[in-house]
Amino acid sequence: MSAVLNPVNESVEAAAQVAGGWPVLDPLIDDQPTMPDAFPFHAMGPVLGDAARAIAHDVQAPDSLAGGSVLAAAGLASSPLANVVMPHGQRSPLSVFVLTGAGSGDRKSAVDAVACHEIEETRKQQARDYSAQLANYEEDMAARKGSKEPEPAKPAPKSITTGNATIEGICKLLKFQSSVGVFSAEGGEMLGGHSLRDDKRSSGLAFFLKGWSGESLDSLRGGEGLTVLLGRRMSMHVLVQPVLLRQLLCDPLAQGQGLLARCLIAEPQTLAGHRQYRQVNPHENEAVVVYNARIRHLLETPPTYWPEGDGYELKPRDMHLSMDATRLWIAFYNLIEAQQADGKELDGARPFASKAAEHAARIAGIITLATTPDAKTIDEKAMDGAIQLTGFYLSEHLRLTGSGRQDRQQSELRTLLEWMQKYDRPLLSKKDVLQKSPRSLGRKAPRLNPLLEELARRGYIREAGKDWEVRDV
């Protein structure tokens, strides 16, 4: 009976409030999880896009999980070979940092087993080669007992990827190789690893920023002294539980130092409960076979090194944008820049937005090499696809961080209203609102007045002389 009377009582109360001079209430939007956009497989080009779509279909995995894994693998294979030269002359590596949130049972490992197959095969072969070299070294050392001849150099381990390495460990790897991928299907290992713990977090994040930019990597250790590594490339592909992704997105240091601005972040909807058994081997899909052959070709292509370097300092070839690609890139750059102005959609996401054009240039280079490995020019089609992919990740960044203008305004309105409703009395002085409202809202008239006006327009508050009257709802 009470369930029947509740709507009636609410209607009577609302009518009484309207009769008391209050307007009809225009409720704030409830906090509802928004759906991600569909991942634009077509934008990745025929080699990467067809493979990513096939993996998502055959493994029955979320779209951006498959798309991100393929993009990361192609970036790792491409980055030693070329740089993209943007219209203003800046050279940028083809390295990408891909961070995807997916829960247990979303088939993260199954996707990676297909998308990163050739990379994993390379890693295994490197491990076998090192084991054989170490055995030969130990035999040689045993045979040299008592010999005065110079000892042979101890072989150095090599690994194209590492899942949970310290900064020092990555530097040790890169001392004897040119590139590395921080790849992990269990991102908690990487995000909670030694180099990103609280006491080392700032220096750890700074190291990854340098790796993304292709800058020199420095390591100073008591036993080994100063190591300066030039011309190296670092890629990242981390699959992480959504709860850990949320922690990272809320980390002020990761945001402030710029790691999040350099990551292509997505969190797709789970497909759990909608995956009937399918008799199919994803590795045998024709699109995946073509893709794996291309990744293998890129991995086996010898990179170019600086003659005067340490033997591992890369000298990637330059890839320039065609005239049409340049036109598209400049238009995208200008559009994103305009949207960062105060009050525009991207004014709360400036760190990522300011990197969007560079993300697009890098992705365009990766698409180009996956399509034409010896290409020296990025064409309009590759750039158009890269801009679409960057747009997808920009939308995901806004969705997951709540930094879009509408999301931000709704959050600020709710914060202010809840604070005002905590007062026992219906009247709240305008002076108190300016001086005592939540610090996150700025406590300044230019920030608060538009929020107060919106709450008044919606019928939650109204002016009463020098006070604000708060509606009893």
Side-chain angles (χ1 to χ4, degrees):
M1 188 70 175
S2 60
V4 175
L5 291 177
N6 278 341
V8 175
N9 293 336
E10 290 172 2
S11 298
V12 170
E13 182 179 348
Q17 289 182 330
V18 171
W22 288 100
V24 176
L25 192 67
D26 180 8
L28 291 173
I29 300 173
D30 290 334
D31 292 330
Q32 295 286 345
T34 54
M35 295 287 288
D37 294 338
F39 188 85
F41 290 122
H42 65 279
M44 301 178 77
V47 175
L48 302 183
D50 289 354
R53 184 185 289 107
I55 293 170
H57 178 270
D58 291 350
V59 177
Q60 298 188 78
D63 55 1
S64 61
L65 175 58
S69 294
V70 166
L71 180 61
L76 176 60
S78 302
S79 60
L81 304 178
N83 292 328
V84 57
V85 182
M86 289 180 281
H88 53 290
Q90 177 186 335
R91 288 176 175 80
S92 185
L94 301 187
S95 306
V96 287
F97 284 11
V98 180
L99 184 60
T100 307
S104 299
D106 278 332
R107 302 183 175 174
K108 299 186 292 291
S109 297
V111 166
D112 260 11
V114 185
C116 300
H117 173 76
E118 292 301 322
I119 290 170
E120 180 63 12
E121 288 300 302
T122 299
R123 188 193 67 81
K124 288 179 180 178
Q125 190 57 52
Q126 289 174 326
R128 296 186 190 105
D129 291 344
Y130 174 67
S131 180
Q133 292 166 5
L134 189 60
N136 291 337
Y137 168 80
E138 292 173 348
E139 289 178 6
D140 200 6
M141 289 296 292
R144 288 172 178 270
K145 284 184 178 180
S147 173
K148 295 183 180 181
E149 295 182 11
E151 293 183 358
K154 187 175 182 179
K158 295 184 179 182
S159 182
I160 190 172
T161 61
T162 178
N164 180 23
T166 62
I167 290 173
E168 294 80 11
I170 294 174
C171 282
K172 185 172 285 188
L173 272 179
L174 288 175
K175 193 172 183 179
F176 299 101
Q177 62 187 61
S178 300
S179 61
V180 69
V182 181
F183 276 36
S184 175
E186 297 298 336
E189 296 179 352
M190 180 265 180
L191 297 178
H194 177 74
S195 294
L196 290 181
R197 290 177 185 166
D198 291 343
D199 58 335
K200 295 179 177 289
R201 199 166 186 79
S202 181
S203 60
L205 291 172
F207 178 81
F208 285 113
L209 301 189
K210 288 183 177 181
W212 183 84
S213 300
E215 301 174 34
S216 63
L217 299 172
D218 305 339
S219 175
L220 181 60
R221 301 183 65 187
E224 300 179 7
L226 177 64
T227 299
V228 180
L229 303 171
L230 304 176
R232 283 4 184 225
R233 293 292 178 265
M234 184 188 302
S235 302
M236 185 185 292
H237 168 46
V238 177
L239 305 176
V240 64
Q241 293 284 340
V243 63
L244 292 177
L245 178 59
R246 290 288 186 275
Q247 291 176 10
L248 182 65
L249 294 175
C250 295
D251 183 347
L253 196 57
Q255 182 70 265
Q257 283 196 240
L259 178 64
L260 297 182
R262 290 161 173 81
C263 290
L264 303 173
I265 303 174
E267 186 183 314
Q269 288 291 111
T270 183
L271 298 183
H274 304 278
R275 303 170 300 191
Q276 296 299 306
Y277 178 75
R278 191 173 288 162
Q279 185 79 27
V280 62
N281 183 346
H283 293 275
E284 295 176 353
N285 189 295
E286 183 178 353
V288 172
V289 172
V290 171
Y291 158 78
N292 278 331
R294 185 54 47 81
I295 297 297
R296 183 167 59 252
H297 173 80
L298 292 172
L299 291 172
E300 292 175 349
T301 300
T304 303
Y305 302 99
W306 282 95
E308 62 272 29
D310 60 2
Y312 301 97
E313 183 184 348
L314 292 166
K315 188 181 181 182
R317 73 176 184 269
D318 287 340
M319 296 180 67
H320 294 269
L321 277 58
S322 71
M323 290 184 63
D324 288 337
T326 298
R327 175 182 53 80
L328 274 180
W329 186 88
I330 291 175
F332 179 64
Y333 178 99
N334 288 337
L335 174 65
I336 295 299
E337 179 63 27
Q339 287 297 310
Q340 295 177 59
D342 289 344
K344 296 291 186 177
E345 181 61 25
L346 301 179
D347 72 343
R350 286 171 183 160
F352 184 88
S354 66
K355 297 289 183 187
E358 184 172 356
H359 281 303
R362 291 179 182 223
I363 294 171
I366 294 169
I367 293 172
T368 298
L369 286 190
T371 307
T372 311
D374 58 351
K376 296 182 180 179
T377 303
I378 295 172
D379 64 18
E380 180 184 17
K381 188 174 182 180
M383 181 55 68
D384 181 53
I387 289 172
Q388 292 182 54
L389 283 163
T390 304
F392 167 81
Y393 281 110
L394 180 55
S395 294
E396 280 291 85
H397 186 93
L398 294 175
R399 183 178 73 91
L400 296 172
T401 62
S403 57
R405 181 172 55 84
Q406 185 175 358
D407 292 336
R408 207 165 56 252
Q409 183 189 43
Q410 288 293 319
S411 176
E412 290 175 346
L413 286 170
R414 194 172 298 281
T415 297
L416 180 57
L417 177 61
E418 289 174 354
W419 176 80
M420 297 179 79
Q421 288 174 334
K422 287 180 180 178
Y423 278 73
D424 294 332
R425 57 189 185 278
L427 296 180
L428 181 60
S429 76
K430 294 179 178 179
K431 183 178 179 181
D432 281 350
V433 172
L434 284 175
Q435 294 180 348
K436 299 179 181 180
S437 60
R439 290 185 181 275
S440 62
L441 300 179
R443 292 183 176 175
K444 292 183 179 180
R447 283 283 310 277
L448 288 173
N449 284 345
L451 298 177
L452 292 165
E453 290 169 5
E454 178 65 12
L455 289 177
R457 186 192 69 78
R458 288 176 174 270
Y460 282 102
I461 62 175
R462 63 185 176 187
E463 288 189 272
K466 295 183 178 181
D467 298 322
W468 285 107
E469 182 180 0
V470 183
R471 188 173 190 167
D472 182 19
V473 292

